[in-house]
Amino acid sequence: RKEVEQDPGPFNVPEGATVAFNCTYSNSASQSFFWYRQDCRKEPKLLMSVYSSGNEDGRFTAQLNRASQYISLLIRDSKLSDSATYLCVVNPPTGGGNKLTFGTGTQLKVEL
Amino acid sequence: DVKVTQSSRYLVKRTGEKVFLECVQDMDHENMFWYRQDPGLGLRLIYFSYDVKMKEKGDIPEGYSVSREKKERFSLILESASTNQTSMYLCASKTGGVNYGYTFGSGTRLTVV
């Protein structure tokens, strides 16, 4: 089983739609969680951290379910500029809390 | 903002050449990492370092070595480049503590011919 699993997509959605990505992780002792965004041929950039209570940043909402080892990202009112690959990232207890594990990413395409 | 700078955006090297990829960060981060990213395989960790002169193997260290003589600089070395090392190479740095993510450099797209 992969440490972090994501549906690769692509998710093709119309502008204005709401889209949700899911991610599961295998190590129940993982300590912190993140979503990164990666544009084509660019480096990944931190989108948001994911907290147990859930957190929101504008149109983006992240949720964590530790019991099910499941992380989600919800994007409301999708924009063309949201088109990118979204990487689910987990911080497992190995590596002293400093070595992150990345999913392979979910590709989002927002269309007119 | 933390800045992580990779020395080259694009590189073309010949098979058998020794290749140096340089990475410098300006925020005094203890931890630095080298990844390669290939379509369908995602990010794979090559080596990482949590302090000067310290290094740890990642998931795919074969054919690579690293050097960290100064805190701000982490170099990746391809001892004898091969065509299967054609890839996007990403350097990242991170401060200590579980709640912090990585900051990545802009990547080096290496082609070995």
Side-chain angles (χ1 to χ4, degrees), chain A residues 2 31-32 34 36 38 41-46 49 87 91 95-104, chain B residues 9 31 33 35 37 41-43 45 48 88 90 94-102 104-106 109:
Chain A
K2 287 184 182 177
Q31 302 170 85
S32 52
F34 309 90
Y36 274 69
Q38 186 172 24
R41 304 182 80 82
K42 298 284 185 70
E43 76 273 22
K45 292 186 178 178
L46 180 64
S49 300
L87 303 171
N91 191 345
N98 289 310
K99 189 165 66 115
L100 304 181
T101 299
F102 289 76
T104 52
Chain B
R9 191 82 175 94
N31 305 285
F33 306 82
Y35 285 83
Q37 187 174 32
L41 297 177
L43 283 155
L45 181 63
F48 64 104
M88 168 71 102
L90 288 158
K94 179 185 180 299
T95 192
V98 300
N99 292 321
Y100 297 95
Y102 291 166
F104 284 91
S106 55
R109 190 163 293 278

mmCIF file of all heavy atoms in Angstrom, chain A residues 2 31-32 34 36 38 41-46 49 87 91 95-104, chain B residues 9 31 33 35 37 41-43 45 48 88 90 94-102 104-106 109:
data_model
loop_
_atom_site.group_PDB
_atom_site.id
_atom_site.type_symbol
_atom_site.label_atom_id
_atom_site.label_comp_id
_atom_site.label_asym_id
_atom_site.label_seq_id
_atom_site.Cartn_x
_atom_site.Cartn_y
_atom_site.Cartn_z
ATOM 1 N N LYS A 2 0.564 2.201 -0.850
ATOM 2 C CA LYS A 2 1.324 3.442 -0.876
ATOM 3 C C LYS A 2 1.094 4.219 0.413
ATOM 4 O O LYS A 2 0.031 4.136 1.017
ATOM 5 C CB LYS A 2 0.856 4.307 -2.058
ATOM 6 C CG LYS A 2 1.310 3.803 -3.414
ATOM 7 C CD LYS A 2 0.876 4.786 -4.476
ATOM 8 C CE LYS A 2 1.271 4.312 -5.857
ATOM 9 N NZ LYS A 2 0.796 5.232 -6.904
ATOM 10 N N GLN A 31 1.817 13.092 11.705
ATOM 11 C CA GLN A 31 1.667 14.197 12.642
ATOM 12 C C GLN A 31 1.123 15.474 12.033
ATOM 13 O O GLN A 31 0.505 16.290 12.732
ATOM 14 C CB GLN A 31 3.026 14.474 13.268
ATOM 15 C CG GLN A 31 3.603 13.261 13.979
ATOM 16 C CD GLN A 31 5.045 13.477 14.385
ATOM 17 O OE1 GLN A 31 5.309 14.038 15.428
ATOM 18 N NE2 GLN A 31 5.965 13.047 13.546
ATOM 19 N N SER A 32 1.374 15.708 10.788
ATOM 20 C CA SER A 32 0.871 16.935 10.175
ATOM 21 C C SER A 32 0.605 16.676 8.700
ATOM 22 O O SER A 32 1.098 15.698 8.125
ATOM 23 C CB SER A 32 1.851 18.099 10.369
ATOM 24 O OG SER A 32 3.145 17.751 9.956
ATOM 25 N N PHE A 34 -0.645 18.516 4.733
ATOM 26 C CA PHE A 34 -0.622 19.725 3.903
ATOM 27 C C PHE A 34 -1.220 19.425 2.539
ATOM 28 O O PHE A 34 -1.207 18.287 2.080
ATOM 29 C CB PHE A 34 0.834 20.185 3.675
ATOM 30 C CG PHE A 34 1.654 20.316 4.929
ATOM 31 C CD1 PHE A 34 2.384 19.252 5.415
ATOM 32 C CD2 PHE A 34 1.703 21.519 5.616
ATOM 33 C CE1 PHE A 34 3.152 19.361 6.559
ATOM 34 C CE2 PHE A 34 2.476 21.644 6.763
ATOM 35 C CZ PHE A 34 3.194 20.564 7.234
ATOM 36 N N TYR A 36 -0.380 20.866 -1.306
ATOM 37 C CA TYR A 36 0.469 21.672 -2.162
ATOM 38 C C TYR A 36 -0.187 21.778 -3.535
ATOM 39 O O TYR A 36 -0.904 20.878 -3.968
ATOM 40 C CB TYR A 36 1.856 21.019 -2.323
ATOM 41 C CG TYR A 36 2.842 21.361 -1.240
ATOM 42 C CD1 TYR A 36 2.671 20.882 0.060
ATOM 43 C CD2 TYR A 36 3.937 22.172 -1.503
ATOM 44 C CE1 TYR A 36 3.582 21.204 1.060
ATOM 45 C CE2 TYR A 36 4.859 22.489 -0.515
ATOM 46 C CZ TYR A 36 4.673 22.006 0.761
ATOM 47 O OH TYR A 36 5.576 22.329 1.739
ATOM 48 N N GLN A 38 0.782 22.427 -7.636
ATOM 49 C CA GLN A 38 1.891 22.443 -8.590
ATOM 50 C C GLN A 38 1.353 22.774 -9.978
ATOM 51 O O GLN A 38 0.546 22.021 -10.530
ATOM 52 C CB GLN A 38 2.643 21.105 -8.612
ATOM 53 C CG GLN A 38 3.886 21.138 -9.490
ATOM 54 C CD GLN A 38 4.737 19.905 -9.381
ATOM 55 O OE1 GLN A 38 4.256 18.832 -9.010
ATOM 56 N NE2 GLN A 38 6.027 20.021 -9.698
ATOM 57 N N ARG A 41 5.082 22.263 -15.035
ATOM 58 C CA ARG A 41 6.506 22.551 -15.200
ATOM 59 C C ARG A 41 7.027 23.563 -14.172
ATOM 60 O O ARG A 41 8.037 24.235 -14.415
ATOM 61 C CB ARG A 41 6.806 23.007 -16.625
ATOM 62 C CG ARG A 41 6.345 22.007 -17.673
ATOM 63 C CD ARG A 41 6.684 22.451 -19.074
ATOM 64 N NE ARG A 41 8.066 22.175 -19.428
ATOM 65 C CZ ARG A 41 8.507 20.998 -19.858
ATOM 66 N NH1 ARG A 41 7.690 19.992 -19.971
ATOM 67 N NH2 ARG A 41 9.775 20.834 -20.172
ATOM 68 N N LYS A 42 6.332 23.653 -13.043
ATOM 69 C CA LYS A 42 6.805 24.514 -11.958
ATOM 70 C C LYS A 42 6.987 23.686 -10.689
ATOM 71 O O LYS A 42 6.622 22.512 -10.644
ATOM 72 C CB LYS A 42 5.779 25.631 -11.690
ATOM 73 C CG LYS A 42 5.550 26.575 -12.858
ATOM 74 C CD LYS A 42 6.701 27.540 -12.983
ATOM 75 C CE LYS A 42 6.479 28.588 -14.059
ATOM 76 N NZ LYS A 42 5.444 29.563 -13.701
ATOM 77 N N GLU A 43 7.545 24.328 -9.662
ATOM 78 C CA GLU A 43 7.734 23.628 -8.404
ATOM 79 C C GLU A 43 6.446 23.589 -7.590
ATOM 80 O O GLU A 43 5.591 24.471 -7.731
ATOM 81 C CB GLU A 43 8.857 24.305 -7.594
ATOM 82 C CG GLU A 43 8.479 25.622 -6.917
ATOM 83 C CD GLU A 43 8.654 26.819 -7.818
ATOM 84 O OE1 GLU A 43 8.660 26.679 -9.063
ATOM 85 O OE2 GLU A 43 8.778 27.917 -7.239
ATOM 86 N N PRO A 44 6.298 22.612 -6.697
ATOM 87 C CA PRO A 44 5.136 22.614 -5.795
ATOM 88 C C PRO A 44 5.210 23.789 -4.830
ATOM 89 O O PRO A 44 6.297 24.167 -4.374
ATOM 90 C CB PRO A 44 5.287 21.293 -5.032
ATOM 91 C CG PRO A 44 6.228 20.462 -5.840
ATOM 92 C CD PRO A 44 7.142 21.420 -6.522
ATOM 93 N N LYS A 45 4.045 24.333 -4.534
ATOM 94 C CA LYS A 45 3.981 25.431 -3.557
ATOM 95 C C LYS A 45 2.916 25.102 -2.516
ATOM 96 O O LYS A 45 1.851 24.561 -2.843
ATOM 97 C CB LYS A 45 3.646 26.745 -4.263
ATOM 98 C CG LYS A 45 4.770 27.220 -5.167
ATOM 99 C CD LYS A 45 4.506 28.586 -5.748
ATOM 100 C CE LYS A 45 5.686 29.030 -6.594
ATOM 101 N NZ LYS A 45 5.469 30.327 -7.234
ATOM 102 N N LEU A 46 3.208 25.458 -1.277
ATOM 103 C CA LEU A 46 2.283 25.179 -0.190
ATOM 104 C C LEU A 46 0.980 25.932 -0.390
ATOM 105 O O LEU A 46 0.970 27.155 -0.527
ATOM 106 C CB LEU A 46 2.926 25.570 1.142
ATOM 107 C CG LEU A 46 2.081 25.347 2.388
ATOM 108 C CD1 LEU A 46 1.790 23.867 2.597
ATOM 109 C CD2 LEU A 46 2.780 25.924 3.611
ATOM 110 N N SER A 49 -2.027 24.202 5.167
ATOM 111 C CA SER A 49 -1.902 23.118 6.130
ATOM 112 C C SER A 49 -3.303 22.583 6.412
ATOM 113 O O SER A 49 -4.307 23.254 6.152
ATOM 114 C CB SER A 49 -1.273 23.624 7.423
ATOM 115 O OG SER A 49 0.016 24.151 7.176
ATOM 116 N N LEU A 87 -1.250 18.251 -4.641
ATOM 117 C CA LEU A 87 -0.507 17.185 -3.978
ATOM 118 C C LEU A 87 -0.902 17.098 -2.510
ATOM 119 O O LEU A 87 -0.859 18.107 -1.791
ATOM 120 C CB LEU A 87 1.002 17.459 -4.062
ATOM 121 C CG LEU A 87 1.592 17.636 -5.466
ATOM 122 C CD1 LEU A 87 3.031 18.107 -5.376
ATOM 123 C CD2 LEU A 87 1.528 16.333 -6.221
ATOM 124 N N ASN A 91 3.177 14.162 7.008
ATOM 125 C CA ASN A 91 4.416 14.136 7.775
ATOM 126 C C ASN A 91 4.380 12.921 8.707
ATOM 127 O O ASN A 91 3.798 12.980 9.795
ATOM 128 C CB ASN A 91 4.556 15.423 8.577
ATOM 129 C CG ASN A 91 5.937 15.568 9.179
ATOM 130 O OD1 ASN A 91 6.703 14.616 9.240
ATOM 131 N ND2 ASN A 91 6.249 16.756 9.629
ATOM 132 N N GLY A 95 11.819 9.994 10.039
ATOM 133 C CA GLY A 95 12.529 11.177 9.557
ATOM 134 C C GLY A 95 12.524 12.312 10.545
ATOM 135 O O GLY A 95 12.767 13.472 10.168
ATOM 136 N N GLY A 96 12.237 12.013 11.806
ATOM 137 C CA GLY A 96 12.295 13.032 12.851
ATOM 138 C C GLY A 96 11.283 14.142 12.711
ATOM 139 O O GLY A 96 11.456 15.243 13.238
ATOM 140 N N GLY A 97 10.216 13.881 11.975
ATOM 141 C CA GLY A 97 9.180 14.895 11.806
ATOM 142 C C GLY A 97 9.519 15.923 10.755
ATOM 143 O O GLY A 97 8.829 16.933 10.620
ATOM 144 N N ASN A 98 10.579 15.678 9.990
ATOM 145 C CA ASN A 98 11.003 16.662 9.004
ATOM 146 C C ASN A 98 11.003 16.140 7.580
ATOM 147 O O ASN A 98 11.366 16.862 6.665
ATOM 148 C CB ASN A 98 12.403 17.170 9.352
ATOM 149 C CG ASN A 98 12.383 18.046 10.589
ATOM 150 O OD1 ASN A 98 11.575 18.963 10.676
ATOM 151 N ND2 ASN A 98 13.228 17.744 11.543
ATOM 152 N N LYS A 99 10.595 14.899 7.373
ATOM 153 C CA LYS A 99 10.644 14.317 6.033
ATOM 154 C C LYS A 99 9.220 14.064 5.579
ATOM 155 O O LYS A 99 8.540 13.184 6.104
ATOM 156 C CB LYS A 99 11.455 13.025 6.066
ATOM 157 C CG LYS A 99 11.756 12.436 4.709
ATOM 158 C CD LYS A 99 12.852 11.392 4.802
ATOM 159 C CE LYS A 99 12.418 10.188 5.590
ATOM 160 N NZ LYS A 99 12.344 8.964 4.796
ATOM 161 N N LEU A 100 8.764 14.843 4.640
ATOM 162 C CA LEU A 100 7.384 14.754 4.184
ATOM 163 C C LEU A 100 7.228 13.671 3.128
ATOM 164 O O LEU A 100 8.167 13.362 2.392
ATOM 165 C CB LEU A 100 6.933 16.100 3.602
ATOM 166 C CG LEU A 100 7.069 17.302 4.535
ATOM 167 C CD1 LEU A 100 6.566 18.559 3.837
ATOM 168 C CD2 LEU A 100 6.338 17.074 5.835
ATOM 169 N N THR A 101 6.032 13.104 3.078
ATOM 170 C CA THR A 101 5.697 12.106 2.059
ATOM 171 C C THR A 101 4.609 12.682 1.161
ATOM 172 O O THR A 101 3.580 13.153 1.649
ATOM 173 C CB THR A 101 5.208 10.809 2.722
ATOM 174 O OG1 THR A 101 6.245 10.291 3.548
ATOM 175 C CG2 THR A 101 4.864 9.771 1.651
ATOM 176 N N PHE A 102 4.842 12.618 -0.133
ATOM 177 C CA PHE A 102 3.954 13.239 -1.115
ATOM 178 C C PHE A 102 3.126 12.196 -1.847
ATOM 179 O O PHE A 102 3.644 11.143 -2.238
ATOM 180 C CB PHE A 102 4.774 14.014 -2.158
ATOM 181 C CG PHE A 102 5.399 15.265 -1.634
ATOM 182 C CD1 PHE A 102 6.531 15.214 -0.829
ATOM 183 C CD2 PHE A 102 4.864 16.495 -1.935
ATOM 184 C CE1 PHE A 102 7.106 16.363 -0.327
ATOM 185 C CE2 PHE A 102 5.429 17.670 -1.452
ATOM 186 C CZ PHE A 102 6.556 17.599 -0.650
ATOM 187 N N GLY A 103 1.846 12.515 -2.060
ATOM 188 C CA GLY A 103 1.065 11.753 -3.011
ATOM 189 C C GLY A 103 1.483 12.120 -4.422
ATOM 190 O O GLY A 103 2.227 13.096 -4.634
ATOM 191 N N THR A 104 1.017 11.352 -5.386
ATOM 192 C CA THR A 104 1.410 11.611 -6.769
ATOM 193 C C THR A 104 0.600 12.732 -7.408
ATOM 194 O O THR A 104 0.908 13.159 -8.515
ATOM 195 C CB THR A 104 1.304 10.348 -7.626
ATOM 196 O OG1 THR A 104 0.009 9.789 -7.449
ATOM 197 C CG2 THR A 104 2.354 9.317 -7.225
ATOM 198 N N ARG B 9 18.170 26.200 -14.454
ATOM 199 C CA ARG B 9 16.790 25.838 -14.752
ATOM 200 C C ARG B 9 16.752 24.657 -15.716
ATOM 201 O O ARG B 9 15.920 23.768 -15.574
ATOM 202 C CB ARG B 9 16.085 27.047 -15.376
ATOM 203 C CG ARG B 9 14.597 26.902 -15.496
ATOM 204 C CD ARG B 9 13.911 27.228 -14.170
ATOM 205 N NE ARG B 9 12.458 27.187 -14.337
ATOM 206 C CZ ARG B 9 11.717 26.111 -14.087
ATOM 207 N NH1 ARG B 9 12.281 25.003 -13.681
ATOM 208 N NH2 ARG B 9 10.405 26.157 -14.273
ATOM 209 N N ASN B 31 17.046 21.704 7.578
ATOM 210 C CA ASN B 31 16.769 20.533 6.762
ATOM 211 C C ASN B 31 16.715 20.890 5.282
ATOM 212 O O ASN B 31 16.053 21.853 4.882
ATOM 213 C CB ASN B 31 15.411 19.934 7.156
ATOM 214 C CG ASN B 31 15.338 19.622 8.629
ATOM 215 O OD1 ASN B 31 15.916 18.657 9.094
ATOM 216 N ND2 ASN B 31 14.630 20.451 9.375
ATOM 217 N N PHE B 33 16.591 18.941 1.164
ATOM 218 C CA PHE B 33 16.176 17.709 0.504
ATOM 219 C C PHE B 33 16.408 17.820 -1.007
ATOM 220 O O PHE B 33 16.284 18.907 -1.580
ATOM 221 C CB PHE B 33 14.663 17.479 0.724
ATOM 222 C CG PHE B 33 14.244 17.499 2.161
ATOM 223 C CD1 PHE B 33 14.012 18.702 2.819
ATOM 224 C CD2 PHE B 33 14.079 16.327 2.863
ATOM 225 C CE1 PHE B 33 13.627 18.736 4.151
ATOM 226 C CE2 PHE B 33 13.692 16.343 4.200
ATOM 227 C CZ PHE B 33 13.473 17.545 4.840
ATOM 228 N N TYR B 35 14.840 15.917 -4.420
ATOM 229 C CA TYR B 35 13.859 15.023 -5.008
ATOM 230 C C TYR B 35 14.048 15.000 -6.518
ATOM 231 O O TYR B 35 14.543 15.962 -7.109
ATOM 232 C CB TYR B 35 12.436 15.522 -4.743
ATOM 233 C CG TYR B 35 11.927 15.328 -3.339
ATOM 234 C CD1 TYR B 35 12.242 16.235 -2.333
ATOM 235 C CD2 TYR B 35 11.115 14.247 -3.017
ATOM 236 C CE1 TYR B 35 11.758 16.065 -1.044
ATOM 237 C CE2 TYR B 35 10.624 14.073 -1.726
ATOM 238 C CZ TYR B 35 10.953 14.981 -0.757
ATOM 239 O OH TYR B 35 10.474 14.808 0.519
ATOM 240 N N GLN B 37 11.377 14.267 -9.881
ATOM 241 C CA GLN B 37 9.968 14.114 -10.192
ATOM 242 C C GLN B 37 9.828 13.653 -11.633
ATOM 243 O O GLN B 37 10.340 14.298 -12.553
ATOM 244 C CB GLN B 37 9.202 15.429 -9.999
ATOM 245 C CG GLN B 37 7.713 15.292 -10.145
ATOM 246 C CD GLN B 37 6.958 16.561 -9.808
ATOM 247 O OE1 GLN B 37 7.450 17.654 -10.016
ATOM 248 N NE2 GLN B 37 5.757 16.404 -9.244
ATOM 249 N N LEU B 41 5.159 9.018 -11.459
ATOM 250 C CA LEU B 41 5.873 8.496 -10.279
ATOM 251 C C LEU B 41 5.883 9.478 -9.127
ATOM 252 O O LEU B 41 6.259 9.136 -8.008
ATOM 253 C CB LEU B 41 7.307 8.129 -10.656
ATOM 254 C CG LEU B 41 7.470 7.033 -11.688
ATOM 255 C CD1 LEU B 41 8.946 6.829 -12.018
ATOM 256 C CD2 LEU B 41 6.852 5.725 -11.193
ATOM 257 N N GLY B 42 5.534 10.712 -9.397
ATOM 258 C CA GLY B 42 5.502 11.708 -8.337
ATOM 259 C C GLY B 42 6.891 12.103 -7.884
ATOM 260 O O GLY B 42 7.896 11.915 -8.580
ATOM 261 N N LEU B 43 6.951 12.638 -6.683
ATOM 262 C CA LEU B 43 8.213 13.095 -6.103
ATOM 263 C C LEU B 43 8.875 11.933 -5.370
ATOM 264 O O LEU B 43 8.260 11.295 -4.523
ATOM 265 C CB LEU B 43 7.942 14.216 -5.101
ATOM 266 C CG LEU B 43 7.642 15.576 -5.710
ATOM 267 C CD1 LEU B 43 6.822 16.415 -4.760
ATOM 268 C CD2 LEU B 43 8.929 16.288 -6.059
ATOM 269 N N LEU B 45 12.288 10.889 -3.099
ATOM 270 C CA LEU B 45 13.372 11.473 -2.310
ATOM 271 C C LEU B 45 14.687 10.778 -2.619
ATOM 272 O O LEU B 45 14.800 9.561 -2.509
ATOM 273 C CB LEU B 45 13.036 11.350 -0.821
ATOM 274 C CG LEU B 45 14.050 11.925 0.155
ATOM 275 C CD1 LEU B 45 14.199 13.431 -0.023
ATOM 276 C CD2 LEU B 45 13.629 11.608 1.587
ATOM 277 N N PHE B 48 18.585 13.527 1.829
ATOM 278 C CA PHE B 48 18.267 14.697 2.625
ATOM 279 C C PHE B 48 19.349 14.922 3.679
ATOM 280 O O PHE B 48 20.182 14.046 3.937
ATOM 281 C CB PHE B 48 16.873 14.608 3.255
ATOM 282 C CG PHE B 48 16.680 13.502 4.257
ATOM 283 C CD1 PHE B 48 16.663 13.777 5.620
ATOM 284 C CD2 PHE B 48 16.465 12.197 3.843
ATOM 285 C CE1 PHE B 48 16.453 12.772 6.541
ATOM 286 C CE2 PHE B 48 16.253 11.183 4.762
ATOM 287 C CZ PHE B 48 16.243 11.466 6.114
ATOM 288 N N MET B 88 13.215 15.969 -13.717
ATOM 289 C CA MET B 88 13.148 17.259 -13.030
ATOM 290 C C MET B 88 13.675 17.043 -11.619
ATOM 291 O O MET B 88 13.181 16.163 -10.903
ATOM 292 C CB MET B 88 11.709 17.764 -12.990
ATOM 293 C CG MET B 88 11.502 18.936 -12.048
ATOM 294 S SD MET B 88 12.240 20.459 -12.662
ATOM 295 C CE MET B 88 10.761 21.271 -13.258
ATOM 296 N N LEU B 90 14.253 18.648 -7.908
ATOM 297 C CA LEU B 90 13.727 19.696 -7.034
ATOM 298 C C LEU B 90 14.456 19.657 -5.695
ATOM 299 O O LEU B 90 14.551 18.614 -5.065
ATOM 300 C CB LEU B 90 12.233 19.498 -6.814
ATOM 301 C CG LEU B 90 11.359 19.814 -8.018
ATOM 302 C CD1 LEU B 90 10.023 19.107 -7.914
ATOM 303 C CD2 LEU B 90 11.136 21.313 -8.137
ATOM 304 N N LYS B 94 13.449 23.165 4.836
ATOM 305 C CA LYS B 94 12.403 23.160 5.851
ATOM 306 C C LYS B 94 13.030 23.494 7.205
ATOM 307 O O LYS B 94 14.090 22.971 7.554
ATOM 308 C CB LYS B 94 11.762 21.768 5.922
ATOM 309 C CG LYS B 94 10.674 21.605 6.957
ATOM 310 C CD LYS B 94 10.211 20.157 7.013
ATOM 311 C CE LYS B 94 9.106 19.966 8.052
ATOM 312 N NZ LYS B 94 9.544 20.319 9.409
ATOM 313 N N THR B 95 12.336 24.301 7.961
ATOM 314 C CA THR B 95 12.774 24.516 9.321
ATOM 315 C C THR B 95 12.322 23.339 10.179
ATOM 316 O O THR B 95 11.475 22.538 9.757
ATOM 317 C CB THR B 95 12.223 25.845 9.869
ATOM 318 O OG1 THR B 95 12.886 26.153 11.096
ATOM 319 C CG2 THR B 95 10.731 25.759 10.117
ATOM 320 N N GLY B 96 12.878 23.215 11.379
ATOM 321 C CA GLY B 96 12.515 22.107 12.239
ATOM 322 C C GLY B 96 11.108 22.236 12.791
ATOM 323 O O GLY B 96 10.556 23.319 12.850
ATOM 324 N N GLY B 97 10.520 21.102 13.172
ATOM 325 C CA GLY B 97 9.168 21.137 13.725
ATOM 326 C C GLY B 97 8.185 20.502 12.774
ATOM 327 O O GLY B 97 8.256 20.700 11.563
ATOM 328 N N VAL B 98 7.216 19.768 13.354
ATOM 329 C CA VAL B 98 6.325 18.967 12.510
ATOM 330 C C VAL B 98 5.309 19.800 11.759
ATOM 331 O O VAL B 98 4.706 19.332 10.802
ATOM 332 C CB VAL B 98 5.605 17.887 13.346
ATOM 333 C CG1 VAL B 98 6.613 16.955 13.989
ATOM 334 C CG2 VAL B 98 4.702 18.500 14.397
ATOM 335 N N ASN B 99 5.077 21.018 12.184
ATOM 336 C CA ASN B 99 3.987 21.784 11.588
ATOM 337 C C ASN B 99 4.403 22.622 10.382
ATOM 338 O O ASN B 99 3.600 23.398 9.877
ATOM 339 C CB ASN B 99 3.350 22.685 12.638
ATOM 340 C CG ASN B 99 2.618 21.866 13.697
ATOM 341 O OD1 ASN B 99 1.979 20.875 13.381
ATOM 342 N ND2 ASN B 99 2.733 22.263 14.939
ATOM 343 N N TYR B 100 5.633 22.445 9.942
ATOM 344 C CA TYR B 100 6.129 23.267 8.847
ATOM 345 C C TYR B 100 6.299 22.428 7.596
ATOM 346 O O TYR B 100 6.779 21.301 7.635
ATOM 347 C CB TYR B 100 7.462 23.915 9.238
ATOM 348 C CG TYR B 100 7.319 24.842 10.411
ATOM 349 C CD1 TYR B 100 7.575 24.397 11.701
ATOM 350 C CD2 TYR B 100 6.905 26.154 10.230
ATOM 351 C CE1 TYR B 100 7.422 25.237 12.785
ATOM 352 C CE2 TYR B 100 6.754 27.003 11.314
ATOM 353 C CZ TYR B 100 7.012 26.540 12.587
ATOM 354 O OH TYR B 100 6.864 27.373 13.653
ATOM 355 N N GLY B 101 5.949 23.024 6.467
ATOM 356 C CA GLY B 101 6.119 22.339 5.194
ATOM 357 C C GLY B 101 7.438 22.715 4.556
ATOM 358 O O GLY B 101 8.264 23.417 5.131
ATOM 359 N N TYR B 102 7.620 22.219 3.332
ATOM 360 C CA TYR B 102 8.822 22.526 2.580
ATOM 361 C C TYR B 102 8.624 23.808 1.768
ATOM 362 O O TYR B 102 7.516 24.131 1.360
ATOM 363 C CB TYR B 102 9.092 21.461 1.518
ATOM 364 C CG TYR B 102 9.498 20.098 1.965
ATOM 365 C CD1 TYR B 102 9.464 19.061 1.047
ATOM 366 C CD2 TYR B 102 9.926 19.807 3.250
ATOM 367 C CE1 TYR B 102 9.838 17.772 1.380
ATOM 368 C CE2 TYR B 102 10.296 18.515 3.594
ATOM 369 C CZ TYR B 102 10.258 17.505 2.656
ATOM 370 O OH TYR B 102 10.625 16.233 2.984
ATOM 371 N N PHE B 104 10.199 24.834 -1.897
ATOM 372 C CA PHE B 104 10.937 24.257 -3.010
ATOM 373 C C PHE B 104 11.642 25.329 -3.824
ATOM 374 O O PHE B 104 11.183 26.461 -3.924
ATOM 375 C CB PHE B 104 9.986 23.516 -3.959
ATOM 376 C CG PHE B 104 9.519 22.188 -3.456
ATOM 377 C CD1 PHE B 104 8.357 22.075 -2.718
ATOM 378 C CD2 PHE B 104 10.247 21.038 -3.723
ATOM 379 C CE1 PHE B 104 7.921 20.847 -2.254
ATOM 380 C CE2 PHE B 104 9.821 19.792 -3.272
ATOM 381 C CZ PHE B 104 8.660 19.704 -2.533
ATOM 382 N N GLY B 105 12.770 24.920 -4.422
ATOM 383 C CA GLY B 105 13.354 25.710 -5.480
ATOM 384 C C GLY B 105 12.564 25.521 -6.766
ATOM 385 O O GLY B 105 11.650 24.697 -6.824
ATOM 386 N N SER B 106 12.930 26.276 -7.781
ATOM 387 C CA SER B 106 12.155 26.254 -9.026
ATOM 388 C C SER B 106 12.476 25.056 -9.910
ATOM 389 O O SER B 106 11.836 24.868 -10.940
ATOM 390 C CB SER B 106 12.358 27.548 -9.797
ATOM 391 O OG SER B 106 13.740 27.763 -10.007
ATOM 392 N N ARG B 109 15.626 21.062 -14.784
ATOM 393 C CA ARG B 109 15.231 20.007 -15.725
ATOM 394 C C ARG B 109 16.500 19.508 -16.398
ATOM 395 O O ARG B 109 17.099 20.211 -17.213
ATOM 396 C CB ARG B 109 14.237 20.530 -16.735
ATOM 397 C CG ARG B 109 13.612 19.441 -17.585
ATOM 398 C CD ARG B 109 12.349 19.916 -18.293
ATOM 399 N NE ARG B 109 11.258 20.191 -17.365
ATOM 400 C CZ ARG B 109 10.452 19.264 -16.861
ATOM 401 N NH1 ARG B 109 10.603 18.004 -17.177
ATOM 402 N NH2 ARG B 109 9.467 19.610 -16.043
#
